[in-house]
Amino acid sequence: MEISTLATYHCLAFVWYFFIAYSITHIRTEERPSEVFLYGGQWKYLTVLNLVLQAVFYGVSFLADVLRLIRKLRCAKCVISSRDLLFSVLAFPVSTFVSISFWTLYTYNRELVYPKSLDGVIPLWLNHAMHTAVLPFALLEILALPHRYPAKKKGLILLGFVAFLYISWVLWIYSVTGEWVYPLFALFSPSGLAAFFAGSLGVIISFYNFGEFLNRMIWGQSEGFL
């Protein structure tokens, strides 16, 4: 794909995610169901954090494209390294996990992840923007250009560290409020919850490996490019 085309795509994707993140974080206070937006606000939900992550990723990608267009290759190389690390370790596995896990649980019992009280607050299009569109965006990014993956050990350590931070945030919120971020967690015993978190980490690691597999199948053993 031509650099100018990539720059246009990444710019539009950045604007889209910025708009979605802005929309969900600026729901009027009086419209927020009290049982949903307790301590931590929207920032306790992985879906919202993923929107910010995607906006940052596409912003970095657009910057890399611009630097390549103006032939600032030394600066571009550094930004491209950051772009590839963001995509491989976080942007692809997290967006895939958010989309697939949300719709799986929603189909089983929506009250566990997305109570009906949200229907009057969050429009249907915004729900799909947060939970559906993120997956084709991630797949399109793999098709659009190659990404250099880090050494497997480094990538998994970084992914595991970020997962640990989020789980710690969830547990902290529960310790302060006595309420779980997602009603689903209340169904588990402490050991069951630990097993659930471990299983979720295993799933997101499998998405990391899947992204690396797709990147290799489409682009070969790519080392990135300028």
Side-chain angles (χ1 to χ4, degrees), residues 94-152:
V94 173
S95 60
T96 306
F97 179 82
V98 164
S99 182
I100 293 179
S101 62
F102 174 83
W103 288 114
T104 299
L105 291 170
Y106 184 97
T107 301
Y108 174 71
N109 183 355
R110 65 168 297 175
E111 293 298 319
L112 297 177
V113 290
Y114 195 82
K116 289 183 179 180
S117 58
L118 287 175
D119 287 346
V121 178
I122 300 177
L124 182 61
W125 71 267
L126 186 53
N127 181 22
H128 282 293
M130 295 188 297
H131 297 115
T132 307
V134 293
L135 182 54
F137 264 108
L139 294 173
L140 181 58
E141 179 66 21
I142 284 186
L143 293 172
L145 74 162
H147 297 83
R148 181 169 51 191
Y149 272 66
K152 181 62 68 71

Short mmCIF file of all heavy atoms in Angstrom, two decimals, residues 94-152:
data_model
loop_
_atom_site.label_atom_id
_atom_site.label_comp_id
_atom_site.label_asym_id
_atom_site.label_seq_id
_atom_site.Cartn_x
_atom_site.Cartn_y
_atom_site.Cartn_z
N VAL A 94 -5.53 -7.10 22.33
CA VAL A 94 -6.55 -6.52 23.22
C VAL A 94 -7.85 -6.27 22.46
O VAL A 94 -8.94 -6.59 22.95
CB VAL A 94 -6.05 -5.22 23.88
CG1 VAL A 94 -7.18 -4.54 24.67
CG2 VAL A 94 -4.89 -5.52 24.82
N SER A 95 -7.76 -5.70 21.26
CA SER A 95 -8.98 -5.43 20.49
C SER A 95 -9.68 -6.74 20.12
O SER A 95 -10.92 -6.83 20.16
CB SER A 95 -8.67 -4.62 19.24
OG SER A 95 -7.77 -5.31 18.39
N THR A 96 -8.92 -7.76 19.78
CA THR A 96 -9.50 -9.06 19.46
C THR A 96 -10.17 -9.67 20.68
O THR A 96 -11.29 -10.20 20.61
CB THR A 96 -8.42 -10.02 18.92
OG1 THR A 96 -7.75 -9.40 17.81
CG2 THR A 96 -9.04 -11.33 18.45
N PHE A 97 -9.50 -9.58 21.82
CA PHE A 97 -10.05 -10.10 23.07
C PHE A 97 -11.33 -9.37 23.46
O PHE A 97 -12.32 -10.00 23.84
CB PHE A 97 -9.02 -9.97 24.19
CG PHE A 97 -9.50 -10.46 25.52
CD1 PHE A 97 -9.47 -11.81 25.82
CD2 PHE A 97 -9.99 -9.57 26.47
CE1 PHE A 97 -9.91 -12.27 27.05
CE2 PHE A 97 -10.44 -10.02 27.70
CZ PHE A 97 -10.40 -11.38 28.00
N VAL A 98 -11.32 -8.04 23.35
CA VAL A 98 -12.50 -7.25 23.70
C VAL A 98 -13.70 -7.66 22.86
O VAL A 98 -14.79 -7.89 23.37
CB VAL A 98 -12.21 -5.74 23.54
CG1 VAL A 98 -13.51 -4.93 23.52
CG2 VAL A 98 -11.31 -5.24 24.67
N SER A 99 -13.50 -7.75 21.55
CA SER A 99 -14.60 -8.06 20.65
C SER A 99 -15.15 -9.47 20.87
O SER A 99 -16.36 -9.67 21.06
CB SER A 99 -14.16 -7.89 19.20
OG SER A 99 -15.24 -8.14 18.31
N ILE A 100 -14.27 -10.46 20.87
CA ILE A 100 -14.73 -11.85 20.94
C ILE A 100 -15.28 -12.19 22.32
O ILE A 100 -16.35 -12.83 22.44
CB ILE A 100 -13.59 -12.80 20.55
CG1 ILE A 100 -13.26 -12.62 19.06
CG2 ILE A 100 -13.95 -14.25 20.85
CD1 ILE A 100 -12.13 -13.48 18.55
N SER A 101 -14.60 -11.76 23.38
CA SER A 101 -15.09 -12.07 24.73
C SER A 101 -16.40 -11.35 25.02
O SER A 101 -17.31 -11.94 25.64
CB SER A 101 -14.03 -11.71 25.78
OG SER A 101 -13.77 -10.32 25.77
N PHE A 102 -16.54 -10.10 24.57
CA PHE A 102 -17.77 -9.36 24.83
C PHE A 102 -18.96 -10.03 24.19
O PHE A 102 -19.97 -10.29 24.84
CB PHE A 102 -17.65 -7.92 24.32
CG PHE A 102 -18.94 -7.16 24.44
CD1 PHE A 102 -19.31 -6.56 25.64
CD2 PHE A 102 -19.82 -7.04 23.36
CE1 PHE A 102 -20.51 -5.86 25.76
CE2 PHE A 102 -21.02 -6.35 23.47
CZ PHE A 102 -21.36 -5.76 24.68
N TRP A 103 -18.85 -10.34 22.89
CA TRP A 103 -20.01 -10.90 22.20
C TRP A 103 -20.30 -12.33 22.62
O TRP A 103 -21.45 -12.77 22.57
CB TRP A 103 -19.83 -10.78 20.69
CG TRP A 103 -19.98 -9.36 20.23
CD1 TRP A 103 -19.01 -8.56 19.69
CD2 TRP A 103 -21.16 -8.57 20.30
NE1 TRP A 103 -19.52 -7.32 19.43
CE2 TRP A 103 -20.84 -7.28 19.79
CE3 TRP A 103 -22.46 -8.79 20.76
CZ2 TRP A 103 -21.77 -6.25 19.70
CZ3 TRP A 103 -23.39 -7.76 20.68
CH2 TRP A 103 -23.05 -6.52 20.16
N THR A 104 -19.27 -13.06 23.05
CA THR A 104 -19.51 -14.40 23.59
C THR A 104 -20.33 -14.33 24.87
O THR A 104 -21.34 -15.04 25.03
CB THR A 104 -18.18 -15.11 23.86
OG1 THR A 104 -17.45 -15.25 22.63
CG2 THR A 104 -18.42 -16.50 24.44
N LEU A 105 -19.92 -13.45 25.79
CA LEU A 105 -20.63 -13.31 27.06
C LEU A 105 -21.99 -12.64 26.86
O LEU A 105 -22.96 -12.99 27.53
CB LEU A 105 -19.78 -12.51 28.05
CG LEU A 105 -18.52 -13.23 28.54
CD1 LEU A 105 -17.62 -12.26 29.31
CD2 LEU A 105 -18.90 -14.41 29.42
N TYR A 106 -22.05 -11.69 25.95
CA TYR A 106 -23.31 -11.00 25.66
C TYR A 106 -24.35 -12.00 25.15
O TYR A 106 -25.52 -11.95 25.54
CB TYR A 106 -23.08 -9.91 24.63
CG TYR A 106 -24.29 -9.04 24.32
CD1 TYR A 106 -24.46 -7.81 24.95
CD2 TYR A 106 -25.24 -9.44 23.39
CE1 TYR A 106 -25.54 -7.00 24.66
CE2 TYR A 106 -26.34 -8.65 23.11
CZ TYR A 106 -26.48 -7.42 23.73
OH TYR A 106 -27.57 -6.64 23.45
N THR A 107 -23.93 -12.90 24.28
CA THR A 107 -24.84 -13.91 23.74
C THR A 107 -25.31 -14.87 24.84
O THR A 107 -26.47 -15.27 24.86
CB THR A 107 -24.15 -14.71 22.62
OG1 THR A 107 -23.75 -13.80 21.59
CG2 THR A 107 -25.08 -15.74 22.03
N TYR A 108 -24.40 -15.21 25.75
CA TYR A 108 -24.74 -16.12 26.83
C TYR A 108 -25.68 -15.46 27.84
O TYR A 108 -26.73 -16.00 28.18
CB TYR A 108 -23.46 -16.59 27.53
CG TYR A 108 -23.71 -17.41 28.76
CD1 TYR A 108 -24.22 -18.71 28.67
CD2 TYR A 108 -23.44 -16.89 30.03
CE1 TYR A 108 -24.47 -19.46 29.81
CE2 TYR A 108 -23.69 -17.64 31.17
CZ TYR A 108 -24.20 -18.92 31.06
OH TYR A 108 -24.43 -19.65 32.18
N ASN A 109 -25.30 -14.29 28.32
CA ASN A 109 -26.12 -13.53 29.29
C ASN A 109 -25.61 -12.10 29.32
O ASN A 109 -24.62 -11.81 29.99
CB ASN A 109 -26.05 -14.16 30.68
CG ASN A 109 -26.94 -13.43 31.68
OD1 ASN A 109 -27.55 -12.40 31.38
ND2 ASN A 109 -27.02 -13.95 32.90
N ARG A 110 -26.29 -11.21 28.63
CA ARG A 110 -25.82 -9.84 28.49
C ARG A 110 -25.67 -9.11 29.81
O ARG A 110 -24.85 -8.20 29.95
CB ARG A 110 -26.73 -9.04 27.56
CG ARG A 110 -28.14 -8.84 28.10
CD ARG A 110 -28.89 -7.80 27.28
NE ARG A 110 -28.25 -6.50 27.36
CZ ARG A 110 -28.66 -5.44 26.67
NH1 ARG A 110 -29.67 -5.54 25.83
NH2 ARG A 110 -28.05 -4.29 26.80
N GLU A 111 -26.45 -9.50 30.82
CA GLU A 111 -26.39 -8.82 32.12
C GLU A 111 -25.04 -9.00 32.79
O GLU A 111 -24.69 -8.24 33.70
CB GLU A 111 -27.51 -9.32 33.04
CG GLU A 111 -28.90 -8.95 32.58
CD GLU A 111 -29.13 -7.44 32.53
OE1 GLU A 111 -28.67 -6.74 33.46
OE2 GLU A 111 -29.77 -6.98 31.56
N LEU A 112 -24.28 -9.98 32.36
CA LEU A 112 -22.96 -10.22 32.95
C LEU A 112 -21.94 -9.19 32.50
O LEU A 112 -20.93 -8.99 33.18
CB LEU A 112 -22.47 -11.62 32.60
CG LEU A 112 -23.32 -12.79 33.12
CD1 LEU A 112 -22.75 -14.11 32.62
CD2 LEU A 112 -23.37 -12.77 34.65
N VAL A 113 -22.17 -8.57 31.34
CA VAL A 113 -21.18 -7.63 30.80
C VAL A 113 -21.76 -6.30 30.33
O VAL A 113 -21.05 -5.30 30.29
CB VAL A 113 -20.40 -8.26 29.63
CG1 VAL A 113 -19.48 -9.37 30.12
CG2 VAL A 113 -21.35 -8.78 28.55
N TYR A 114 -23.04 -6.28 29.97
CA TYR A 114 -23.63 -5.08 29.37
C TYR A 114 -25.11 -5.02 29.74
O TYR A 114 -25.98 -5.40 28.95
CB TYR A 114 -23.47 -5.15 27.84
CG TYR A 114 -23.70 -3.85 27.11
CD1 TYR A 114 -22.69 -2.89 27.02
CD2 TYR A 114 -24.92 -3.59 26.48
CE1 TYR A 114 -22.89 -1.71 26.32
CE2 TYR A 114 -25.12 -2.42 25.78
CZ TYR A 114 -24.11 -1.47 25.70
OH TYR A 114 -24.31 -0.31 25.00
N PRO A 115 -25.40 -4.56 30.96
CA PRO A 115 -26.79 -4.55 31.45
C PRO A 115 -27.73 -3.78 30.53
O PRO A 115 -27.33 -2.84 29.83
CB PRO A 115 -26.66 -3.84 32.81
CG PRO A 115 -25.23 -4.03 33.21
CD PRO A 115 -24.45 -4.03 31.93
N LYS A 116 -28.99 -4.19 30.53
CA LYS A 116 -29.99 -3.53 29.69
C LYS A 116 -30.14 -2.05 30.00
O LYS A 116 -30.60 -1.27 29.15
CB LYS A 116 -31.34 -4.23 29.85
CG LYS A 116 -31.40 -5.62 29.22
CD LYS A 116 -32.78 -6.23 29.34
CE LYS A 116 -32.84 -7.61 28.69
NZ LYS A 116 -34.18 -8.22 28.80
N SER A 117 -29.77 -1.66 31.22
CA SER A 117 -29.87 -0.25 31.59
C SER A 117 -29.01 0.64 30.71
O SER A 117 -29.23 1.85 30.61
CB SER A 117 -29.47 -0.06 33.06
OG SER A 117 -28.15 -0.53 33.28
N LEU A 118 -28.02 0.05 30.03
CA LEU A 118 -27.15 0.83 29.15
C LEU A 118 -27.79 1.13 27.80
O LEU A 118 -27.33 2.02 27.09
CB LEU A 118 -25.83 0.10 28.94
CG LEU A 118 -24.85 0.09 30.12
CD1 LEU A 118 -23.64 -0.77 29.78
CD2 LEU A 118 -24.42 1.50 30.47
N ASP A 119 -28.83 0.40 27.43
CA ASP A 119 -29.45 0.59 26.12
C ASP A 119 -30.00 2.00 25.95
O ASP A 119 -30.01 2.53 24.83
CB ASP A 119 -30.56 -0.43 25.90
CG ASP A 119 -30.02 -1.83 25.65
OD1 ASP A 119 -28.80 -1.94 25.37
OD2 ASP A 119 -30.79 -2.79 25.73
N GLY A 120 -30.48 2.58 27.02
CA GLY A 120 -31.02 3.93 26.93
C GLY A 120 -29.97 5.01 27.02
O GLY A 120 -30.28 6.20 26.88
N VAL A 121 -28.72 4.60 27.25
CA VAL A 121 -27.63 5.57 27.42
C VAL A 121 -26.66 5.51 26.24
O VAL A 121 -26.26 6.53 25.69
CB VAL A 121 -26.87 5.30 28.74
CG1 VAL A 121 -25.71 6.27 28.90
CG2 VAL A 121 -27.81 5.38 29.92
N ILE A 122 -26.30 4.29 25.86
CA ILE A 122 -25.33 4.10 24.77
C ILE A 122 -26.06 3.62 23.53
O ILE A 122 -26.66 2.55 23.52
CB ILE A 122 -24.27 3.07 25.18
CG1 ILE A 122 -23.52 3.55 26.43
CG2 ILE A 122 -23.29 2.82 24.04
CD1 ILE A 122 -22.51 2.56 26.96
N PRO A 123 -26.05 4.42 22.45
CA PRO A 123 -26.74 4.02 21.21
C PRO A 123 -26.17 2.72 20.65
O PRO A 123 -25.01 2.36 20.91
CB PRO A 123 -26.46 5.20 20.26
CG PRO A 123 -26.03 6.33 21.13
CD PRO A 123 -25.37 5.72 22.33
N LEU A 124 -26.98 2.02 19.87
CA LEU A 124 -26.56 0.76 19.28
C LEU A 124 -25.30 0.91 18.44
O LEU A 124 -24.41 0.07 18.48
CB LEU A 124 -27.70 0.18 18.44
CG LEU A 124 -27.45 -1.18 17.78
CD1 LEU A 124 -27.19 -2.25 18.84
CD2 LEU A 124 -28.62 -1.57 16.89
N TRP A 125 -25.23 2.01 17.66
CA TRP A 125 -24.07 2.21 16.79
C TRP A 125 -22.79 2.35 17.61
O TRP A 125 -21.72 1.88 17.22
CB TRP A 125 -24.26 3.43 15.89
CG TRP A 125 -24.18 4.76 16.60
CD1 TRP A 125 -25.22 5.48 17.11
CD2 TRP A 125 -23.00 5.51 16.89
NE1 TRP A 125 -24.76 6.63 17.71
CE2 TRP A 125 -23.40 6.67 17.58
CE3 TRP A 125 -21.64 5.32 16.64
CZ2 TRP A 125 -22.51 7.65 18.02
CZ3 TRP A 125 -20.73 6.27 17.08
CH2 TRP A 125 -21.16 7.42 17.76
N LEU A 126 -22.91 3.00 18.79
CA LEU A 126 -21.74 3.20 19.63
C LEU A 126 -21.30 1.88 20.27
O LEU A 126 -20.10 1.61 20.41
CB LEU A 126 -22.04 4.24 20.71
CG LEU A 126 -20.87 4.67 21.60
CD1 LEU A 126 -19.68 5.14 20.77
CD2 LEU A 126 -21.33 5.77 22.56
N ASN A 127 -22.26 1.05 20.62
CA ASN A 127 -21.94 -0.27 21.14
C ASN A 127 -21.15 -1.08 20.11
O ASN A 127 -20.12 -1.69 20.43
CB ASN A 127 -23.22 -1.01 21.53
CG ASN A 127 -22.97 -2.39 22.11
OD1 ASN A 127 -21.89 -2.69 22.61
ND2 ASN A 127 -23.97 -3.25 22.03
N HIS A 128 -21.61 -1.06 18.86
CA HIS A 128 -20.90 -1.80 17.82
C HIS A 128 -19.55 -1.16 17.49
O HIS A 128 -18.59 -1.86 17.14
CB HIS A 128 -21.76 -1.89 16.56
CG HIS A 128 -22.84 -2.92 16.65
ND1 HIS A 128 -22.57 -4.28 16.70
CD2 HIS A 128 -24.20 -2.81 16.72
CE1 HIS A 128 -23.70 -4.95 16.79
NE2 HIS A 128 -24.71 -4.08 16.81
N ALA A 129 -19.47 0.15 17.60
CA ALA A 129 -18.18 0.82 17.37
C ALA A 129 -17.15 0.39 18.41
O ALA A 129 -15.96 0.21 18.10
CB ALA A 129 -18.37 2.33 17.42
N MET A 130 -17.61 0.18 19.65
CA MET A 130 -16.71 -0.20 20.73
C MET A 130 -16.36 -1.67 20.73
O MET A 130 -15.23 -2.05 21.05
CB MET A 130 -17.33 0.16 22.08
CG MET A 130 -17.54 1.64 22.34
SD MET A 130 -18.06 1.93 24.04
CE MET A 130 -19.65 1.07 24.06
N HIS A 131 -17.34 -2.52 20.35
CA HIS A 131 -17.17 -3.95 20.55
C HIS A 131 -17.11 -4.78 19.27
O HIS A 131 -16.69 -5.94 19.31
CB HIS A 131 -18.32 -4.49 21.42
CG HIS A 131 -18.34 -3.92 22.79
ND1 HIS A 131 -19.38 -3.12 23.25
CD2 HIS A 131 -17.46 -4.00 23.81
CE1 HIS A 131 -19.13 -2.76 24.49
NE2 HIS A 131 -17.98 -3.27 24.86
N THR A 132 -17.54 -4.23 18.15
CA THR A 132 -17.56 -4.98 16.90
C THR A 132 -16.50 -4.48 15.92
O THR A 132 -15.68 -5.27 15.43
CB THR A 132 -18.94 -4.90 16.23
OG1 THR A 132 -19.95 -5.30 17.15
CG2 THR A 132 -19.00 -5.81 15.01
N ALA A 133 -16.51 -3.18 15.65
CA ALA A 133 -15.62 -2.62 14.63
C ALA A 133 -14.14 -2.76 14.98
O ALA A 133 -13.29 -2.74 14.08
CB ALA A 133 -15.96 -1.14 14.41
N VAL A 134 -13.83 -2.91 16.26
CA VAL A 134 -12.42 -2.99 16.65
C VAL A 134 -11.72 -4.21 16.04
O VAL A 134 -10.52 -4.16 15.75
CB VAL A 134 -12.27 -3.02 18.19
CG1 VAL A 134 -12.68 -1.69 18.80
CG2 VAL A 134 -13.07 -4.16 18.81
N LEU A 135 -12.47 -5.29 15.83
CA LEU A 135 -11.86 -6.51 15.27
C LEU A 135 -11.50 -6.36 13.79
O LEU A 135 -10.36 -6.62 13.41
CB LEU A 135 -12.77 -7.71 15.51
CG LEU A 135 -12.24 -9.06 15.02
CD1 LEU A 135 -10.86 -9.34 15.61
CD2 LEU A 135 -13.21 -10.18 15.37
N PRO A 136 -12.43 -5.93 12.91
CA PRO A 136 -12.03 -5.74 11.52
C PRO A 136 -10.95 -4.68 11.34
O PRO A 136 -10.10 -4.78 10.44
CB PRO A 136 -13.34 -5.34 10.82
CG PRO A 136 -14.30 -5.01 11.89
CD PRO A 136 -13.88 -5.79 13.09
N PHE A 137 -10.95 -3.65 12.19
CA PHE A 137 -9.87 -2.65 12.13
C PHE A 137 -8.52 -3.32 12.38
O PHE A 137 -7.54 -3.04 11.69
CB PHE A 137 -10.10 -1.54 13.17
CG PHE A 137 -10.78 -0.33 12.62
CD1 PHE A 137 -12.09 -0.03 12.94
CD2 PHE A 137 -10.10 0.54 11.78
CE1 PHE A 137 -12.72 1.10 12.44
CE2 PHE A 137 -10.71 1.68 11.27
CZ PHE A 137 -12.03 1.96 11.60
N ALA A 138 -8.47 -4.20 13.39
CA ALA A 138 -7.22 -4.87 13.72
C ALA A 138 -6.76 -5.79 12.59
O ALA A 138 -5.58 -5.84 12.25
CB ALA A 138 -7.39 -5.67 15.02
N LEU A 139 -7.71 -6.50 12.00
CA LEU A 139 -7.37 -7.40 10.88
C LEU A 139 -6.93 -6.61 9.66
O LEU A 139 -6.00 -7.01 8.95
CB LEU A 139 -8.57 -8.28 10.55
CG LEU A 139 -8.97 -9.29 11.63
CD1 LEU A 139 -10.28 -9.99 11.25
CD2 LEU A 139 -7.87 -10.32 11.86
N LEU A 140 -7.59 -5.49 9.40
CA LEU A 140 -7.23 -4.66 8.26
C LEU A 140 -5.81 -4.11 8.41
O LEU A 140 -5.07 -4.01 7.42
CB LEU A 140 -8.22 -3.50 8.11
CG LEU A 140 -8.00 -2.55 6.94
CD1 LEU A 140 -8.02 -3.31 5.62
CD2 LEU A 140 -9.06 -1.45 6.94
N GLU A 141 -5.44 -3.79 9.65
CA GLU A 141 -4.08 -3.29 9.89
C GLU A 141 -3.03 -4.33 9.53
O GLU A 141 -1.98 -4.00 8.97
CB GLU A 141 -3.94 -2.87 11.35
CG GLU A 141 -2.58 -2.34 11.74
CD GLU A 141 -2.21 -1.03 11.06
OE1 GLU A 141 -3.12 -0.31 10.60
OE2 GLU A 141 -1.00 -0.74 10.98
N ILE A 142 -3.31 -5.58 9.83
CA ILE A 142 -2.36 -6.65 9.46
C ILE A 142 -2.27 -6.78 7.94
O ILE A 142 -1.19 -7.00 7.39
CB ILE A 142 -2.79 -7.99 10.10
CG1 ILE A 142 -2.44 -7.99 11.58
CG2 ILE A 142 -2.13 -9.17 9.39
CD1 ILE A 142 -2.68 -9.31 12.28
N LEU A 143 -3.40 -6.63 7.26
CA LEU A 143 -3.41 -6.74 5.80
C LEU A 143 -2.75 -5.53 5.13
O LEU A 143 -2.23 -5.64 4.02
CB LEU A 143 -4.85 -6.88 5.30
CG LEU A 143 -5.58 -8.16 5.67
CD1 LEU A 143 -7.06 -8.06 5.26
CD2 LEU A 143 -4.92 -9.37 5.03
N ALA A 144 -2.78 -4.38 5.81
CA ALA A 144 -2.31 -3.14 5.20
C ALA A 144 -0.79 -3.06 5.12
O ALA A 144 -0.25 -2.55 4.13
CB ALA A 144 -2.85 -1.94 5.98
N LEU A 145 -0.09 -3.56 6.12
CA LEU A 145 1.36 -3.46 6.12
C LEU A 145 1.96 -4.44 7.13
O LEU A 145 1.28 -4.86 8.07
CB LEU A 145 1.82 -2.03 6.46
CG LEU A 145 1.71 -1.55 7.91
CD1 LEU A 145 2.59 -0.33 8.11
CD2 LEU A 145 0.28 -1.21 8.28
N PRO A 146 3.23 -4.81 6.93
CA PRO A 146 3.87 -5.75 7.86
C PRO A 146 4.25 -5.06 9.16
O PRO A 146 4.51 -3.85 9.19
CB PRO A 146 5.12 -6.20 7.09
CG PRO A 146 5.44 -5.06 6.19
CD PRO A 146 4.12 -4.47 5.79
N HIS A 147 4.28 -5.82 10.23
CA HIS A 147 4.70 -5.30 11.53
C HIS A 147 5.78 -6.22 12.09
O HIS A 147 5.66 -7.44 12.01
CB HIS A 147 3.52 -5.23 12.50
CG HIS A 147 2.44 -4.29 12.07
ND1 HIS A 147 1.46 -4.66 11.17
CD2 HIS A 147 2.19 -3.00 12.40
CE1 HIS A 147 0.66 -3.63 10.96
NE2 HIS A 147 1.08 -2.62 11.69
N ARG A 148 6.79 -5.61 12.65
CA ARG A 148 7.88 -6.39 13.24
C ARG A 148 7.50 -6.76 14.67
O ARG A 148 7.28 -5.88 15.51
CB ARG A 148 9.18 -5.59 13.23
CG ARG A 148 10.36 -6.35 13.80
CD ARG A 148 11.66 -5.63 13.51
NE ARG A 148 11.61 -4.24 13.91
CZ ARG A 148 12.52 -3.33 13.58
NH1 ARG A 148 13.53 -3.67 12.81
NH2 ARG A 148 12.41 -2.09 14.00
N TYR A 149 7.45 -8.05 14.94
CA TYR A 149 7.13 -8.53 16.28
C TYR A 149 8.39 -8.62 17.12
O TYR A 149 9.46 -8.95 16.60
CB TYR A 149 6.44 -9.89 16.21
CG TYR A 149 4.94 -9.80 16.04
CD1 TYR A 149 4.38 -9.27 14.88
CD2 TYR A 149 4.08 -10.21 17.05
CE1 TYR A 149 3.01 -9.17 14.72
CE2 TYR A 149 2.71 -10.12 16.91
CZ TYR A 149 2.18 -9.59 15.76
OH TYR A 149 0.81 -9.48 15.62
N PRO A 150 8.28 -8.35 18.42
CA PRO A 150 9.45 -8.51 19.30
C PRO A 150 9.76 -9.97 19.53
O PRO A 150 8.99 -10.85 19.12
CB PRO A 150 9.01 -7.82 20.60
CG PRO A 150 7.52 -8.04 20.62
CD PRO A 150 7.09 -7.94 19.17
N ALA A 151 10.87 -10.26 20.18
CA ALA A 151 11.15 -11.63 20.60
C ALA A 151 9.98 -12.13 21.42
O ALA A 151 9.39 -11.38 22.21
CB ALA A 151 12.44 -11.67 21.41
N LYS A 152 9.62 -13.40 21.24
CA LYS A 152 8.42 -13.94 21.87
C LYS A 152 8.42 -13.72 23.38
O LYS A 152 7.41 -13.30 23.96
CB LYS A 152 8.31 -15.43 21.56
CG LYS A 152 7.07 -16.12 22.14
CD LYS A 152 5.78 -15.54 21.59
CE LYS A 152 5.60 -15.85 20.12
NZ LYS A 152 5.31 -17.25 19.83
#
